[in-house]
Amino acid sequence: MSTHTPHAETRIHNIGYRDYDGPRLGRAYARRSLFSQSLRGAYGLGRSAKSKVLPMILFAVMCIPALIVVAVAVATKLKDLPLDYTRYAIFTQAVIGLYLASQAPQSVSRDLRFKTVPLYFSRPIERVDYVVAKYGAMASALFILTASPLLILYIGSLLAKMDFVDQTQGFAQGLVSVALLSLLFGGIGLVLAALTPRRGFGVAAVIAALTISYGAVSTLQAIAWSTDSLGAVKWLGLFSPITLIDGVQTAFLGATSSFPAEAGPDAGVGVVYLLAVLALITGSYAVLLRRYRKVGL
């Protein structure tokens, strides 16, 4: 039995590491870095060439109709755009859905699959920082996707010498609409993607949530309209993300509704739509916090 105490056998070796005496950048820097990295990753920047193909194609597909509309407006000297700013996201909703389905799982599923989430939380970063950075990056990526064609339309309208005040107002209304859409869709997409570490399941879940809900609501609205139940048409719109945005912009942003017979909500019902959108956004954030409270342990 050894008579040496552990303390007597302790040795301190200098193996040449230098002390770090630089600035400690802390949580805010880590949060900004995670946001920046996630936003770049949503467009394949900083990743392989293959990762850039789909987001860039979808971005181009979003912008091409706007370029065509502008070309026609300039060539034919139209006095107004043939497609309203607030209608553009409704018109291209399938492209937005595909982008979200491809990028939301990429943003969060890999961290879950490779169990790297606890490594984030071993640094000066907390669960709220991770969720805020990921949610902010996804919403920002969607805003870039949806606002870029609106900017093309706006620049084109000015080149065509359309009324500056009308076009600026329409452009501003369109930006408010797509900002709400980006927050709503980004939250829903990340929640569904964060439920499983398998990217394929996340993609399928996002597509199903957006397309099935919209298809069901549109079908029920058409049935209600055909049976002269116009009152039901506006309430049915509460059950699909894209029709929620349609209802809000119809009630408050001067948009023309895509509902059958353009029977969108008035300001009274529009308040319910707006509250539903805000509840889904805050609910998505809360669910993500709860999810990462579990997986980060």
Side-chain angles (χ1 to χ4, degrees):
M1 181 174 178
S2 174
T3 58
H4 294 288
T5 63
H7 178 73
E9 296 178 357
T10 301
R11 298 287 186 272
I12 298 176
H13 298 276
N14 182 355
I15 58 175
Y17 288 123
R18 295 180 60 185
D19 293 336
Y20 178 76
D21 53 7
R24 302 288 178 178
L25 299 175
R27 284 176 59 189
Y29 178 81
R31 186 169 56 242
R32 287 196 303 272
S33 298
L34 183 57
F35 168 83
S36 174
Q37 176 259 332
S38 300
L39 178 56
R40 285 167 50 84
Y43 285 94
L45 303 177
R47 299 169 58 207
S48 66
K50 185 175 70 173
S51 300
K52 297 178 177 66
V53 174
L54 184 57
M56 292 303 179
I57 287 175
L58 292 175
F59 182 81
V61 171
M62 279 292 292
C63 293
I64 287 171
L67 291 169
I68 294 172
V69 168
V70 165
V72 171
V74 171
T76 58
K77 298 181 179 178
L78 293 176
K79 298 299 181 185
D80 214 345
L81 290 171
L83 182 63
D84 292 341
Y85 294 97
T86 48
R87 292 274 294 162
Y88 200 91
I90 308 297
F91 175 68
T92 55
Q93 61 175 292
V95 183
I96 300 170
L98 282 175
Y99 177 85
L100 179 64
S102 64
Q103 298 309 312
Q106 180 276 133
S107 180
V108 295
S109 294
R110 289 187 304 170
D111 290 342
L112 295 171
R113 186 165 66 252
F114 297 120
K115 303 186 187 305
T116 56
V117 174
L119 295 179
Y120 285 108
F121 301 152
S122 68
R123 298 296 178 185
I125 187 172
E126 296 183 6
R127 288 160 186 78
V128 65
D129 300 314
Y130 183 88
V131 171
V132 166
K134 289 291 184 178
Y135 197 159
M138 193 71 257
S140 297
L142 284 169
F143 184 74
I144 291 169
L145 182 77
T146 52
S148 295
L150 302 189
L151 181 60
I152 293 170
L153 288 176
Y154 181 61
I155 293 172
S157 71
L158 298 182
L159 290 175
K161 298 181 180 178
M162 296 178 187
D163 185 82
F164 175 78
V165 174
D166 285 348
Q167 295 304 317
T168 302
Q169 181 183 7
F171 179 53
Q173 290 170 334
L175 288 181
V176 172
S177 175
V178 297
L180 258 183
L181 181 148
S182 299
L183 287 168
L184 177 62
F185 277 43
I188 292 172
L190 287 181
V191 165
L192 294 173
L195 293 177
T196 173
R198 299 198 175 194
R199 183 177 178 181
F201 288 164
V203 171
V206 174
I207 291 176
L210 297 181
T211 58
I212 292 176
S213 64
Y214 176 70
V217 166
S218 298
T219 301
L220 291 173
Q221 284 180 324
I223 293 171
W225 175 70
S226 66
T227 56
D228 295 325
S229 302
L230 289 181
V233 170
K234 61 183 68 176
W235 291 108
L236 285 167
L238 289 166
F239 298 97
S240 164
I242 193 67
T243 53
L244 274 172
I245 296 298
D246 191 310
V248 170
Q249 66 182 19
T250 300
F252 301 113
L253 298 174
T256 301
S257 179
S258 299
F259 294 179
E262 298 181 356
D266 55 17
V269 179
V271 171
V272 180
Y273 273 73
L274 181 59
L275 290 174
V277 170
L278 296 177
L280 282 170
I281 290 170
T282 54
S284 297
Y285 176 74
V287 170
L288 286 170
L289 277 180
R290 184 176 179 83
R291 171 64 171 152
Y292 283 100
R293 189 172 291 118
K294 291 183 177 180
V295 300
L297 297 177

